[in-house]
Amino acid sequence: MKVITVRDYTELSATAGQMIADLLRSKPACALGLATGGTPLGTYQYLVERYRAGEISLQQVQTFNLDEYCELPRSHPQSYYQFMYDNLFRHVDIVPENIHLPCTDSADLQAQCDSYNALLHATPLDLQLLGIGSNGHIGFCEPGTPFDRETFHTRLTDKTRQDNQRFFDSLDEVPTTAITMGISNILQARAILLIASGEAKAECVAQMVKGPITEQVPASALQLHADVTVIVDEAAAALL
Ligand code: F6R
């Protein structure tokens, strides 16, 4: 694991954004795994700025998001589909057919998991962008998820729902389940870029980087991958 410590969130976003922009320039038809949540917002903003400056294009890119809430229609302002459009897709030249997120608008969630998983197997990811949950989750693979898990319908822990309550009006509105890539899908990406910011992430970042490899800390599975870059600001790096 290569760990890069930067001063603050602005520098983190520019450093991560630059890595993705470099990939887009060297391989315009790449497959990108994307994350939602608060942490990648600055990275997406950076990419939008590079696009507006004419420095990058996403016209040939295929994107695959890590996860999507169940119980919310795609049109809900807090669906991850909506998040991606609001913060990246509507601002760049990506082709809508090349955008992929798990579809949770269905009675048969297992069939949706299977079809998303088949899509991931058909298109190996060049780079997977990740955040990390304060409980060590990646995607929505919560503590206890077996490392060989592929795309599945998961129940969110109370901790994750509380952490994500800030995006909703009340805890009751935070979905209880989601479809997520499994740890096995994440580990199949050619390269992984994990970003973490703020003191609330210091403990889980330390466990991911130097703790034992254990299913209790899903992000510790990244120690098993040969090409992982972790970019952290000073607050998130405090316990390294
Ligand atoms: C989001 C995702 C999650 C988040 C994690 C951190 O698609 O899969 O693993 O990356 O919960 O979220 P933030 O960045 O909001 O702290």
Side-chain angles (χ1 to χ4, degrees), residues 35-40 66-67 80 131-133 137-140 166-167 201:
T36 54
T39 316
L66 281 167
D67 39 26
Y80 284 163
I132 181 170
H137 74 215
I138 46 176
F140 274 141
R166 67 192 195 280
F167 298 110
K201 299 291 173 73

Side-chain angles (χ1 to χ4, degrees), residues 54-194:
E55 295 169 23
I56 58 169
S57 166
L58 280 83
Q59 208 162 21
Q60 299 179 61
V61 172
Q62 300 237 34
T63 62
F64 296 85
N65 265 81
L66 281 167
D67 39 26
E68 177 60 285
Y69 287 125
C70 298
E71 306 148 51
L72 297 183
R74 278 196 159 177
S75 56
H76 190 282
Q78 293 307 332
S79 77
Y80 284 163
Y81 181 84
Q82 208 60 45
F83 174 101
M84 290 308 305
Y85 267 88
D86 290 346
N87 295 296
L88 182 63
F89 298 151
R90 78 166 84 255
H91 307 289
V92 296
D93 59 348
I94 191 162
V95 177
E97 294 73 49
N98 290 344
I99 293 169
H100 309 284
L101 285 94
C103 176
T104 56
D105 280 350
S106 163
D108 190 348
L109 293 174
Q110 187 54 49
Q112 297 303 328
C113 292
D114 292 345
S115 68
Y116 198 65
N117 206 50
L119 211 54
L120 291 170
H121 278 281
T123 319
L125 301 177
D126 292 291
L127 181 71
Q128 175 65 59
L129 177 65
L130 296 175
I132 181 170
S134 60
N135 64 358
H137 74 215
I138 46 176
F140 274 141
C141 300
E142 299 282 30
T145 304
F147 289 170
D148 62 0
R149 210 68 208 269
E150 298 206 317
T151 311
F152 68 110
H153 180 211
T154 184
R155 181 157 294 280
L156 304 179
T157 61
D158 292 344
K159 178 79 180 110
T160 295
R161 293 185 66 243
Q162 283 155 14
D163 284 350
N164 287 359
Q165 187 186 334
R166 67 192 195 280
F167 298 110
F168 293 83
D169 290 335
S170 71
L171 185 59
D172 282 349
E173 288 179 34
V174 183
T176 56
T177 69
I179 290 181
T180 182
M181 283 188 203
I183 292 176
S184 170
N185 300 109
I186 293 170
L187 292 178
Q188 282 165 43
R190 291 198 181 100
I192 294 174
L193 170 59
L194 184 142

